[in-house]
């Protein structure tokens, strides 16, 4: 009998992980299968706690549960601990281990586009689970500064505090300047006048609301800015279309999806992921031009 791996989120209709992971399992002839389950907030504790007993190899956790899942896990890997957000769960000897592969996926996809984070200034829109993984990875890579602008400002301030506190606890010197700013034009002006890379870490623009953009002031986009959208469905989001029309280099979240998935695949199986197969499966199920 095949062992299941489940994607837990709400909603999960937008996810491409199911096709991508099943293509990878099939390619290597593994006795695993992946499916997506829409879990309501009140069902989350039961769903997570049941994973080991019900024979799951592991799980992915997506919007909006990456932070909420932490109390139900037995162990946190360094990546999950640093981000205080988990997107991958591994069932090992009856215990649940939490990892965050979003940061690794993000950095690998940036590298593929020729972008080295060291010494660069980033502006992140959003301060949820994905922003946490991305921010911790950028700190590890030596980014010069990260601006956080979030609709609910206190969440961005808390994220900055958490990263600073973690560095202090680990006895390490934080070389990345971290700034949380309120959600207003002045903040976007200040951040985008310095930033080299703008990253949308919010779900705004995701299918089916494909005409929404998370940036209320598109006129602030300069041609020298790189614009990265974590949203991958559609491939060309409204933000990326706007940025491209203003001469910016644009990057879709599809690369991050593939590489965070490849890292999760390796955690569940102990094997290298067939990245080409995963890319092909993801691309073939995406909406919009590539
Ligand atoms: P999350 O934990 O629920 O956080 C969502 C963030 O977006 C919060 O900061 C929230 O602000 C903000 N937000 C939500 N709706 C907004 C709106 N209408 N206007 C402005 N801000 C809004 O979700 P997540 O796990 O971080 O995921 C965020 C997005 O990244 C999702 O679309 C997800 O699919 C995508 N993602 C992609 C990849 C990839 O591999 N490409 C990986 C991870 C995530 P508040 O604090 O004000 O609620």
């Amino acid at each position: 009998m095949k062992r299941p791996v489940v994607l837990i989120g709400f909603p999960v209709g937008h996810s491409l992980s199911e096709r991508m992971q099943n293509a990878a399992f099939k390619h290597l002839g593994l006795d695993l299968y992946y499916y997506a389950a829409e879990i309501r907030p009140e069902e989350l504790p039961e769903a997570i706690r049941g994973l080991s007993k019900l024979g799951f190899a592991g799980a992915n956790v997506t919007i909006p549960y990456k932070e909420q899942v932490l109390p139900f896990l037995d162990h946190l890997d360094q990546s999950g601990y640093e981000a205080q957000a988990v997107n991958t769960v591994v069932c090992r000897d009856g215990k649940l281990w939490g990892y965050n592969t979003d940061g690794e996926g993000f950095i690998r996809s940036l590298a593929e586009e020729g972008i080295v984070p060291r010494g660069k200034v980033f502006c992140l829109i959003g301060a949820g689970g994905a922003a946490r993984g991305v921010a911790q990875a950028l700190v590890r890579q030596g980014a010069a500064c990260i601006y956080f602008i979030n609709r609910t400002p206190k969440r961005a301030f808390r994220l900055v505090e958490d990263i600073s506190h973690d560095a202090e606890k680990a006895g390490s010197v934080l070389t990345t300047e971290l700034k949380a700013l309120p959600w207003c034009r002045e903040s976007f002006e200040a951040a985008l006048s310095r930033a080299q890379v703008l990253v949308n870490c919010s779900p705004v623009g995701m299918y089916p609301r494909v005409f929404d953009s998370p940036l209320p002031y598109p006129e602030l986009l300069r041609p020298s800015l790189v614009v990265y959208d974590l949203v991958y469905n559609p491939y060309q989001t409204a933000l990326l279309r706007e940025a491209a029309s203003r001469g910016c280099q644009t990057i879709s979240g599809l690369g991050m999806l593939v590489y965070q998935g490849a890292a999760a695949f390796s955690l569940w199986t102990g094997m290298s992921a067939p990245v080409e197969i995963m890319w092909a499966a993801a691309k073939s199920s995406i909406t919009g031009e590539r």
Side-chain angles (χ1 to χ4, degrees), residues 14 61-68 87 102 105-106 125-132 134 149-153 155-156 183 200-204 206 209 212-214 228-232 252-261:
H14 66 280
V61 181
T62 188
I63 188 170
Y65 298 134
K66 287 181 186 180
E67 294 163 81
Q68 294 173 40
N87 76 328
D102 279 342
F106 175 71
I125 300 179
R132 280 181 174 265
V134 165
I149 306 180
N150 193 45
R151 179 180 62 175
T152 310
R155 201 165 172 192
W183 183 276
N200 174 36
C201 300
S202 85
V204 180
M206 193 163 88
R209 301 195 53 167
D212 293 355
S213 168
Y228 191 124
D229 202 333
L230 258 57
V231 172
Y232 50 79
S252 152
L254 197 64
M256 174 173 170
L257 178 82
V258 170
Y259 291 124
Q260 63 77 31

Side-chain angles (χ1 to χ4, degrees), residues 132-289:
R132 280 181 174 265
V134 165
Q136 284 288 3
L138 289 173
V139 167
R140 273 199 303 277
Q141 295 288 317
C145 176
I146 309 173
Y147 288 94
F148 298 91
I149 306 180
N150 193 45
R151 179 180 62 175
T152 310
K154 70 170 188 238
R155 201 165 172 192
F157 285 98
R158 203 183 74 219
L159 176 48
V160 167
E161 270 172 27
D162 287 352
I163 298 176
S164 310
H165 180 70
D166 284 352
E168 208 174 291
K169 225 167 114 187
S172 57
V173 182
L174 200 57
T175 56
T176 306
E177 188 187 356
L178 303 172
K179 284 178 180 284
L181 300 177
W183 183 276
C184 62
R185 187 183 172 95
E186 290 69 30
S187 299
F188 282 100
E189 267 174 8
L192 293 182
S193 66
R194 269 193 80 202
Q196 282 121 338
V197 187
L198 169 67
V199 188
N200 174 36
C201 300
S202 85
V204 180
M206 193 163 88
Y207 181 85
R209 301 195 53 167
V210 297
F211 296 111
D212 293 355
S213 168
L215 180 66
Y217 314 105
E219 65 280 10
L220 298 178
L221 294 168
R222 293 169 283 105
S224 57
L225 198 64
V226 176
V227 180
Y228 191 124
D229 202 333
L230 258 57
V231 172
Y232 50 79
N233 195 5
Y235 187 79
Q236 287 290 351
T237 60
L239 173 65
L240 294 187
R241 278 200 309 275
E242 180 72 50
S245 75
R246 292 172 187 268
C248 304
Q249 178 183 349
T250 60
I251 307 177
S252 152
L254 197 64
M256 174 173 170
L257 178 82
V258 170
Y259 291 124
Q260 63 77 31
F265 176 98
S266 296
L267 288 167
W268 298 318
T269 63
M271 299 168 80
S272 293
V275 172
E276 293 305 320
I277 298 292
M278 295 173 87
W279 258 115
K283 275 185 184 159
S284 70
S285 31
I286 204 85
T287 317
E289 62 212 82

